[in-house]
Each structure stands twice: as C-alpha cells, then as structure tokens.
Amino acid sequence: MDIKSVILAAGKGTRMKSQTPKVLHEIYGKTLLGYVLDNVKNITSENFVIVGHHAEEVEEFVKKNYTNAKTVLQSPQLGTGHAVSMVCPELENYEGLVLILCGDTPLIREETLREFINFHTENKSDLTVMSTIFENPTNYGRIIREADNTLKCIVEEKDATAEEKAVKEVNAGIYCLNWGKIKGAFSQLTSNNAQGEYYLTDIIEWGKKNSLNVNAYILENNEEIFGINSRINLAEATKILTKRVLNDLMVNGVTIVDPDSTWISPDTTIGQDTIIYPSTYIEGTNKIGKNCKIGPCAHLRGGVEIFDNVKIGNFVEVKKAVIKSNTNVGHLSYIGDSELGSHVNIGAGTITANYDPLSKVKSKTTLKDDVKIGSNSVLVAPVTVEEGANIGAGTVVTKDIPAWSLGITRSPLKVFADWVKNKLAD
Ligand code: UD1
Ligand code: CA
C-alpha cells in the first residue's frame, strides 16, 4: 500500500530561545528535520512538512535538500490536529497509509518505523498510535485504556486527572492511519481543552466512536522518541545518538578507546580493526576504511573518504578529502578540498591553503602516490604534486611539482659563531 508522511514542524519551539526555528537546529551538522526526513525517505512515496513558525526558512531548507518533500503552511498554529488537517486538500482522493511524525523527534529509527507499519498492517488496524513507557511521564500525553486493556483515549498532561497522571504509558506522537477511514475526523475535532487547541490525540476517541480498529504499538526503547524542546534536550539527544553510533561501530569491529570522549556522526561508516583514539570529533558524512588509526584529538568535518591503513594523528583536521591507503597525516595538519594518493607522508604542521578569502573561492590540492611533504609546508591551492615528488620542510608550494622531483623554498641558514657568548659578555 502507498505510504505518505506528514511531519509536524509548525510549532514555535519557545524553549530553544533561538532565532533559528527548532527543527533547523542541528546534531552533527544535520538538522532535526533532516533526521526525520532521512528516516522516512525509504519508506514513503511523498512527505508533507507542516510549517508555520519561521515558515520561509523551513520551506527553503526542505526545497533545497529534499525533493521528495513538500511544505504545507499552517497559519495560525491551532494545535497538532489542526496541523494535520492542513494536508486534507492535498490528500482528498488518497486511500493509502499516512504516517504522522514530529519534526523535533530525530532519534526514531527507520527499522522501528517499518516495524510499526507492519504492526498496523498485520493487525488490520485503521489507526495505530505509538506508545512507550516512561518512569517519569511528565509532559507527555497519557494512554488511557479500557478495563479490557483496549485503547480508550489520550489525555494531555494539562487535562489529566491525578489518576490519569499516574499512568506511565505515554503517546510517542507517531501515528499510522488508513487515510480514507480517518480523514473524516479532522473536520470534527474541537478545542474544548485546557490549551484551547485542536488535539491530534482526539482522533483515537473519534476512531473508537466510529467503530474503527484502533491500536497502540508499544515501543520498547523509549530513547527513540526523545523529543527536543530545549538546548538541554539537544545535548541529551546528541549523547543518546552518539552512544548508539559508537555501540554499533564496536559491535562491528571498530575499537573506540574512550567512548565517553569520542563523537561520531551516524552518517560515518568505519571498517574493521580501525582504532579511534580519545577526544576525536567526526561530523557529517564520512567513510573510513579498515585498519586505520584516527586521533587522539582528530577532527573530521564531513565529505571525508579514507581508505585502508591510513593514520590521522593528533590535532589533524580533515574536510572534504579523499585519502588513499597507507598514507599518514600524523600531526597538527589541515587537509581540506584535497585528494591524497597512497603511501603519501604529510609532515607535521602541513596546511592545504584551500580558501581565498578575497574571491571566496575554494580550490583543490592533489598529492599523487608516494609524495612526501616536509614539515610546516603550505600547499597553496589549486596545486598538484605529481607522483613521488618531495617537498622540503617549510616550503610554500605555489606551483605544480613534477614527478620524482624536489620542491623547496628556503632562505639559506646563516650561522653567527659565538653570537650568544658575545652578547652575554656585553
Ligand atoms: C504532543 C502530543 C502528546 C505527545 C507528545 C509526544 C498532542 C495534543 N499532544 O505533545 O500527546 O505525548 O506530542 O512528543 O498532539 N505543531 C504544529 N502545529 C501546531 C502545534 C504543534 O505543527 O499548531 C508541531 C510542533 O512543531 C511539534 C509537534 O507538532 O513538532 C508536537 O507539538 P508540541 O507542542 O511539541 O506537542 P507536545 O506538547 O509535545
Ligand atoms: Ca504543546
């Protein structure tokens, strides 16, 4: 059956205290909304992002980065039910499934969404809500069940009685609906509640009243539905995500010497027997091969492809670069917009000067196989050092260097005999 998603992203995000809309805040250089859109992209045929607060910025982001997503404006923002009702005109004759998610819940995994949809289909459900158990359920909507354990309704914190507040099963804010069966609810929601909002959660009761098959899918790992409302939550979500990434890497044969001080983005793949040393920070999308040594204190900024047996040492920053096998970048270097062959050795303190701040142009540095760069050299891009060439320490390379030759810029060393002795005698 066809599946489309609706992603709620129109809310204000007041607690972020930010000029940036909440869903455009980032974890490892990727927006919260980007995580959600990436998680549904292999599942759905089309995605609707409900925008409202800072609509233009969010629209621009979606248009630029996600061709399979469309934005729909909600103005004013009268609640989550009102938000979903904005897509009714878009889906007038649609009969497939609609998956509803929140743009501020980036940790949900694609596999979980697939299981959730399977559960919905296998149970011949008309409406399935995802729930989970929290020891401290404060602020979430509570799942209220009948005596026979079937669903009754969802009650928001602000509307809940003391007895309802004691319920630990909460609404994750993720729903799967047979659109044709449920769409009628959206014209019938009311705002008779503590917040004066049209609650999406009221579709549960509506479904029951209309004799539809309404179910809850209980998610075991409640970390996946962790929602971001503040900067504190943003840091916590980064920790949860990082722990998941590091555990997956270790299970697959990567050594992480100190998981507490290592940060690796979920869009980084790493081969077996590679060792990541402490205080390493890896963001964006990267591919690292087998048997590499990365860090301590290395910084990979994205767009990095490292082949096997490569060493990236301490205080080395790498951005948008291909580094072939058996190459060493041992210490204190910056490698950006570059292509390094295999068996290349980069001396300590080498810099690829890739950016011209006047023209704002970034240029490429190419170092072919077996090139050796002496310490403290500057490679002023665009520049190519051909196969096997050597660059003397302290050289500023401003033109291409032919294969197997030596390039060196160095004023002669002068030695003044007894200079210090004479100075002290003065
Ligand atoms: C909502 C649920 C609650 C659930 C929780 C899970 C309702 C009424 N409550 O509460 O049961 O436990 O999510 O995280 O649905 N939004 C819009 N337009 C609006 C209002 C909100 O697009 O008019 C968007 C927000 O940007 C956000 C999402 O909807 O992405 C959820 O809104 P939020 O106000 O955070 O809902 P909660 O109070 O967390
Ligand atoms: Ca709210």
Side-chain angles (χ1 to χ4, degrees):
M1 203 186 276
D2 193 8
I3 308 174
K4 297 183 193 290
S5 83
V6 176
I7 299 167
L8 307 185
K12 214 166 178 183
T14 318
R15 284 166 286 175
M16 293 301 284
K17 303 254 165 67
S18 177
Q19 295 303 313
T20 304
K22 175 161 84 174
V23 295
L24 297 189
H25 279 262
E26 296 180 347
I27 297 178
Y28 287 118
K30 179 156 131 184
T31 64
L32 304 182
L33 182 57
Y35 280 94
V36 179
L37 282 164
D38 280 347
N39 283 336
V40 296
K41 74 172 181 223
N42 297 324
I43 297 177
T44 55
S45 62
E46 198 180 10
N47 307 292
F48 297 97
V49 180
I50 310 296
V51 298
H53 193 69
H54 282 290
E56 302 83 50
E57 272 168 80
V58 183
E59 269 165 19
E60 198 184 305
F61 167 79
V62 171
K63 205 175 265 171
K64 200 169 145 200
N65 298 287
Y66 291 90
T67 48
N68 59 348
K70 211 169 155 182
T71 54
V72 177
L73 185 67
Q74 182 202 15
S75 178
Q77 293 94 44
L78 304 178
T80 48
H82 177 248
V84 177
S85 74
M86 296 295 113
V87 297
C88 287
E90 302 274 349
L91 297 176
E92 222 178 316
N93 300 312
Y94 179 67
E95 288 293 336
L97 298 182
V98 170
L99 185 64
I100 301 176
L101 304 124
C102 293
D104 62 357
T105 310
L107 301 182
I108 188 81
R109 291 176 316 134
E110 184 183 322
E111 299 90 290
T112 301
L113 293 175
R114 284 186 192 281
E115 263 179 47
F116 176 60
I117 294 164
N118 284 345
F119 174 92
H120 175 89
T121 313
E122 277 165 18
N123 286 285
K124 298 193 170 51
S125 193
D126 295 312
L127 165 60
T128 308
V129 57
M130 191 182 288
S131 74
T132 196
I133 311 295
F134 276 121
E135 270 318 301
N136 174 10
T138 313
N139 287 330
Y140 285 94
R142 307 297 203 284
I143 302 282
I144 308 300
R145 290 177 180 269
E146 307 275 12
D148 67 356
N149 215 30
T150 57
L151 282 188
K152 183 177 179 209
C153 61
I154 298 174
V155 177
E156 290 305 295
E157 171 90 22
K158 287 184 177 141
D159 301 292
T161 62
E163 197 185 328
E164 288 164 340
K165 277 187 185 154
V167 172
K168 290 179 178 171
E169 186 182 2
V170 306
N171 170 22
I174 297 173
Y175 313 78
C176 185
L177 3 153
N178 284 17
W179 184 251
K181 293 267 184 70
I182 306 292
K183 67 178 177 190
F186 293 102
S187 55
Q188 293 178 28
L189 296 178
T190 61
S191 55
N192 258 330
N193 52 56
Q195 301 186 81
E197 288 181 3
Y198 295 91
Y199 288 167
L200 177 57
T201 45
D202 287 347
I203 61 174
I204 307 294
E205 233 177 334
W206 185 90
K208 298 287 289 186
K209 273 192 192 133
N210 287 275
S211 311
L212 296 175
N213 186 9
V214 183
N215 295 290
Y217 166 94
I218 305 176
L219 177 70
E220 244 170 68
N221 179 4
N222 61 20
E223 285 186 337
E224 288 193 39
I225 61 121
F226 187 78
I228 287 157
N229 293 312
S230 67
R231 311 261 183 172
I232 294 171
N233 293 157
L234 191 64
E236 287 167 330
T238 307
K239 277 250 163 73
I240 295 170
L241 185 63
T242 303
K243 192 168 170 223
R244 187 194 291 172
V245 169
L246 298 181
N247 284 350
D248 282 352
L249 288 169
M250 290 189 278
V251 165
N252 287 300
V254 176
T255 294
I256 309 284
V257 175
D258 178 25
D260 289 337
S261 73
T262 303
W263 302 83
I264 301 179
S265 74
D267 296 323
T268 296
T269 61
I270 306 183
Q272 265 184 26
D273 293 314
T274 283
I275 304 176
I276 309 290
Y277 291 93
S279 295
T280 291
Y281 187 78
I282 302 179
E283 58 190 320
T285 303
N286 309 280
K287 193 173 165 194
I288 299 172
K290 295 180 203 158
N291 291 308
C292 294
K293 290 184 160 65
I294 312 288
C297 302
H299 182 192
L300 309 192
R301 287 172 44 206
V304 175
E305 189 181 354
I306 292 174
F307 288 51
D308 300 342
N309 304 308
V310 167
K311 186 173 182 301
I312 303 291
N314 44 199
F315 304 104
V316 171
E317 175 178 335
V318 187
K319 184 216 77 172
K320 218 174 159 202
V322 176
I323 301 178
K324 300 243 173 92
S325 55
N326 300 295
T327 282
N328 291 334
V329 189
H331 341 256
L332 303 156
S333 291
Y334 172 59
I335 304 295
D337 299 296
S338 300
E339 203 174 319
L340 276 53
S342 53
H343 295 280
V344 168
N345 192 71
I346 303 288
T350 297
I351 304 293
T352 57
N354 59 330
Y355 182 59
D356 177 349
L358 295 182
S359 65
K360 296 193 167 59
V361 169
K362 284 184 187 135
S363 303
K364 191 175 166 184
T365 300
T366 305
L367 309 180
K368 299 281 180 65
D369 293 350
D370 295 301
V371 160
K372 315 290 176 210
I373 306 290
S375 294
N376 223 29
S377 294
V378 181
L379 299 150
V380 182
V383 72
T384 298
V385 180
E386 297 289 351
E387 190 180 345
N390 281 22
I391 301 298
T395 295
V396 179
V397 182
T398 50
K399 60 181 181 197
D400 294 351
I401 307 293
W404 306 106
S405 46
L406 170 70
I408 190 164
T409 52
R410 197 179 289 166
S411 43
L413 174 68
K414 294 175 194 156
V415 178
F416 299 91
D418 292 331
W419 186 90
V420 179
K421 223 192 221 168
N422 295 338
K423 200 82 182 165
L424 291 173
D426 271 355

